Amino acid sequence: MKRELAGAARDLAAYLKAQDENLAEPPRGAAPARTRPPVPVAAAAAPEAANTQMTKPPADMDALAQQVSKCRKCGLGHARLNAVFGVGSPKARVVFVGEGPGFQEDHKGEPFVGRSGQLLDKILETVLGLKRSDVYIANIVKCHPMKNPETPEAHGNDRPPTPEEISACRPYLDEQLRAIRPACIVTLGSVATKVLLGVDKGISTVRGRSYDYPVELFGPGHPIKVIPTYHPAALLRNPNLKRDTWEDMKMLKSFLETGKI
Ligand code: SF4
């Protein structure tokens, strides 16, 4: 087992190096022109199109996805191109949660695409032996938070969601978790970790151990475990964080294999 894990760590390190050398952000000019739909017909269609290779979600997830595609509960709903509901298996044992969609996610209607998403896929494969379709991936907010919604094609326009946006959107995530009934949530980065654990500490302080999800979705005695770790974008910026991420994923792997943590 140790040799297998060491091999996967090497694979991950090599991948991070290749990411730094080879994977450039696609030119912004190559992106399709953004239109803000007054009636979100395109927004409803895109996430389903992105999900075609995944297991079909149950009816209540379908209904929820439809609801999200039409949602305008907060200001993000007026600037987005696509609502980004979630992707993966509706029977996943683990759900990965980030803070919100970025530029590419908004265009594709799928969470964690682009460089961060490719790295997340690589971590799933090399460390956990899983594919994207074996887990579920979602965000706290379903629409792209932009610094300036008037310049949606601008580079570096992403920002973290505000507390008001988070509280407007958070019920959708808990509905997704109720439908999926995962054993474990992996929070990716500080924002998702603070929101889901209700703590006011940075990810480097909180990671390294597991927690019980503080919301009782299935009644007493049925806790969902939470394992916080770094956001893949942080690993791309600072490959030194890969060792800690690796340890967190080892903890997840052991939990998925033994049911103990
Ligand atoms: S971010 Fe969430 S609450 Fe706000 S409009 Fe989008 S789906 Fe609705």
Side-chain angles (χ1 to χ4, degrees), residues 24-261:
E25 196 75 29
R28 295 282 159 164
R34 176 184 296 262
T35 51
R36 288 178 204 157
V39 179
V41 175
E48 257 185 40
N51 284 346
T52 47
Q53 299 201 340
M54 303 296 171
T55 315
K56 180 141 180 55
D60 49 355
M61 284 279 268
D62 262 346
L64 191 62
Q66 283 297 318
Q67 202 180 329
V68 166
S69 74
K70 294 175 188 147
C71 180
R72 296 285 191 273
K73 275 202 290 173
C74 78
L76 299 183
H78 299 282
R80 71 173 179 229
L81 188 61
N82 288 300
V84 180
F85 181 67
V87 72
S89 168
K91 295 182 179 165
R93 293 181 65 216
V94 54
V95 174
F96 289 78
V97 180
E99 65 184 61
F103 176 91
Q104 297 193 50
E105 288 76 15
D106 189 19
H107 279 73
K108 272 196 89 174
E110 180 174 336
F112 284 88
V113 291
R115 294 181 72 206
S116 291
Q118 288 170 39
L119 179 53
L120 179 59
D121 289 349
K122 192 71 187 175
I123 291 169
L124 289 174
E125 184 191 324
T126 56
V127 185
L128 301 167
L130 296 173
K131 299 188 291 294
R132 175 173 278 240
S133 53
D134 295 323
V135 303
Y136 197 85
I137 305 171
N139 282 304
I140 302 277
V141 298
K142 312 303 187 197
C143 305
H144 181 197
M146 286 177 256
K147 288 178 194 157
N148 183 359
E150 297 304 315
T151 57
E153 303 300 337
H155 189 71
N157 200 17
D158 298 348
R159 63 162 172 82
T162 64
E164 292 73 26
E165 291 157 356
I166 288 169
S167 91
C169 208
R170 168 72 184 277
Y172 292 132
L173 179 64
D174 278 335
E175 281 308 305
Q176 287 173 295
L177 294 171
R178 268 195 198 90
I180 297 168
R181 297 184 74 91
C184 184
I185 300 167
V186 175
T187 54
L188 298 167
S190 278
V191 173
T193 302
K194 284 178 183 176
V195 171
L196 292 197
L197 288 181
V199 295
D200 194 19
K201 294 177 185 161
I203 183 64
S204 55
T205 309
V206 180
R207 63 147 297 278
R209 52 161 289 200
S210 70
Y211 301 80
D212 285 347
Y213 188 43
V215 181
E216 268 188 9
L217 294 178
F218 311 118
H222 299 280
I224 304 176
K225 289 293 175 194
V226 179
I227 296 177
T229 195
Y230 291 104
H231 194 287
L235 296 187
L236 290 171
R237 286 192 299 271
N238 181 4
N240 290 331
L241 301 176
K242 68 180 183 286
R243 172 52 58 189
D244 286 346
T245 306
W246 163 246
E247 293 298 330
D248 298 334
M249 292 302 98
K250 265 189 354 188
M251 191 193 315
L252 171 63
K253 186 177 170 74
S254 164
F255 177 60
L256 293 176
E257 287 173 352
T258 65
K260 296 188 185 131
I261 205 160

